[in-house]
Amino acid sequence: MKILLSILLFALAAGMACGAGEMRIQQQFIEYFAQRAPGTAGVKKLQHSLRADGTWTDIDYTSRRRGEWPTRKHLDRLRTMATAYADPASELYRQDGLKAAVLRGLEHWIKKDYQNPNWYNARIGVPDRLGCALVLMGDAVPDAMLEEARPILYRSELGMTGQNKVWCAGIGIMKGVLYADQALLERAVQDIWSELQVSTGEGIQPDWSFHQHGPQQQFGNYGKSFGDDMIQWASILRGTAYALSGDKLDILRNYLLEGPSWILWNGRMDLSGCGRQVDQGCQQSKARSILRQLDGMKAIDPEYAAAYDATHERVGFNAFWRSEMAVQRRPDWYASVKMSSKRVIGSESCNSENMLGLHLGDGVLLTYVEGDEYEDIMPLWDWKRLPGTTCDQGLDDLTPSTLEGYGGSDFSGVLGSDETGMAAMIYKRGNLSARKSWFFFKDHIVCLGAGISGETKGPVLTSVEQAWLKEGVSQDKNVIQHNNVAYQVLDGKFQFSDNEVEGNWLSSFPTRPDRPVSGKVFSLWIDHGPSPKDATYAYTIFPTIGNRDAGVGSTVLENSTAVQAVAWKGERYAVFYEPGVLKVAGGEHIEVSAPCLLVISDDGMLVADPLQARQRLDVKVNAKTYSVAMPQGAERGRQVEVKF
């Protein structure tokens, strides 16, 4: 196999002239992977530690682990070494000793043909890494070895959906290059760019969420890989007839700017965006990937370079209504709430990952100032007391199955303007139900709960916080302060602990190595007792104590099973769980014809349908009635603005 010939065929398939075209594609393929290559010392270490039989002593070649298969590290290392060999800027460029080592490692893998019970490794994981190493090595690969690798690479076929389709298509491009299959190459490129679309299936959603494995937010898992691969192929193919352009570029830009970049804070990804991979180091590693994507887009989409740079300074509220997740970003703090319903999956477990995450979509409210409040705390978490949730402490099985990953109610929605917003859900899990809402303002969050009822196996707790203990906890009447954050109870009684806790990553990721952890955890909760009936709670979070000192500025208008409402600076924020009336001081009456989320100001109102079932909704403000047409089809759940 001669890579120059393959690249030439690649260029001709795209209708390019000979010469600069094929060299550009080859160069950009190498350049892309060279960006992530370690220094010369790291590559030399890999080269010299490779044994004569083409193996490394520290890799388990017998493992059958489905998730993060350790044997696959063999191919990761060969890809790294092949990058150094192919990179003209590397000290090891086309060095004979490195070439011999890579070929020895490739020969071992191809002869042994290591396999794993997880289908992903056969169809995607192995062909992707093996194909990349072969392309990078180019004409150094003997023709016989390339033919021996063919059966392994061709276990990957075009097809599937979402990011799985993109992975398979990327492998198809490499096979097209390696085996001079122009038809396959063209189909593969078409498959990749075809996933740059907005739909309600798997992939990019109308609210710029990313869904995979059904309707669930996957920013930090499949969505992260989607961005990685789109930028990889856009970078490699830029300046060619296969280049990303036009409406496809617009979609990728909007996805990155209005999707995953929203959930980064101080160099970390919001834990609620990490999907099932809430494992050690996940917040920083996933954030690094998104930041690389934003940086990489500046070369592909230079006209919007300033917009990619500005994402870390973003201030505002974002309602991901397709994923039932809300995000509030302020200059000095960040918060999010993640919910679920009969329409949306809140959490999943797969390949023995996330074995305790049943409640991750049950109204988890995470509040960040420094960014490391929850970093790697998962082994020490009480997973029945995730921040923001109201849960039966007697539940035994916390593994989110496909069915249990969904919420138990149809009622879940988000709504917001540029800087403020709200979220609400009817929580149902087992016999327990509750009506829960969150109101996000510029300097504080108001949290309301009502109708907390059900025959339970244990006491029911509403968890206010469960984070690393940063400094001493202080209490003054109805206010708890910790790490410059103030928690003020309005209805109920706070209880807290700041104890040393011991745990192990094995509890949530049992297939990984034994990793015991200990540390001090700050926990704050409200105890509703066993089998409560119509219990309530209300509390306010001030992410910086200085905000509390400046004054609350909000008033709870009602907290019942019918309405939960808060007034703030002349605006009324209300969750109507049923048709009804909200009476506001001063004689104002707000009446709705159906359940809804509603914000009313002097200028107009925002309305959303949390049941996603209405075609029209009537809102009567004092004597005037507004008949609001609600979005339909793919837009169901999106808010509507009405000007007075």
Side-chain angles (χ1 to χ4, degrees), residues 210 408 551 559 599:
F210 191 94
N559 183 24
V599 176

Side-chain angles (χ1 to χ4, degrees), residues 541-607:
I541 300 176
F542 299 90
T544 67
I545 292 175
N547 290 337
R548 175 176 175 265
D549 295 339
V552 177
S554 64
T555 303
V556 176
L557 301 175
E558 185 171 338
N559 183 24
S560 69
T561 56
V563 183
Q564 291 175 325
V566 178
W568 179 78
K569 293 189 176 182
E571 297 178 340
R572 284 76 72 204
Y573 296 71
V575 180
F576 289 88
Y577 292 98
E578 57 191 50
V581 177
L582 172 66
K583 296 181 180 180
V584 184
E588 182 182 39
H589 283 61
I590 302 171
E591 183 176 355
V592 299
S593 63
C596 65
L597 274 60
L598 179 66
V599 176
I600 292 182
S601 66
D602 293 338
D603 299 328
M605 62 182 175
L606 297 175
V607 188

Side-chain angles (χ1 to χ4, degrees), residues 437 439 441 444-449 464 476-480 486-494 524-526 528 536-542 548 551-559 565-567:
S437 58
F439 302 84
F441 303 116
H444 66 288
I445 308 165
V446 178
C447 309
L448 302 180
V464 178
D476 180 16
K477 296 181 180 179
N478 62 341
V479 177
I480 301 286
Y487 307 86
Q488 182 176 14
V489 67
L490 307 174
D491 174 18
K493 182 180 180 181
F494 281 155
L524 181 64
W525 68 91
I526 298 170
H528 307 291
T536 60
Y537 67 80
Y539 60 90
T540 302
I541 300 176
F542 299 90
R548 175 176 175 265
V552 177
S554 64
T555 303
V556 176
L557 301 175
E558 185 171 338
N559 183 24
V566 178

Side-chain angles (χ1 to χ4, degrees), residues 313-324:
E313 298 175 347
R314 174 185 281 131
V315 172
F317 179 87
N318 196 358
F320 290 109
W321 43 272
R322 282 283 302 166
S323 297
E324 297 169 2

Side-chain angles (χ1 to χ4, degrees), residues 359-371:
H359 295 304
L360 281 172
D362 285 350
V364 170
L365 174 65
L366 300 179
T367 308
Y368 301 85
V369 177
E370 298 171 3

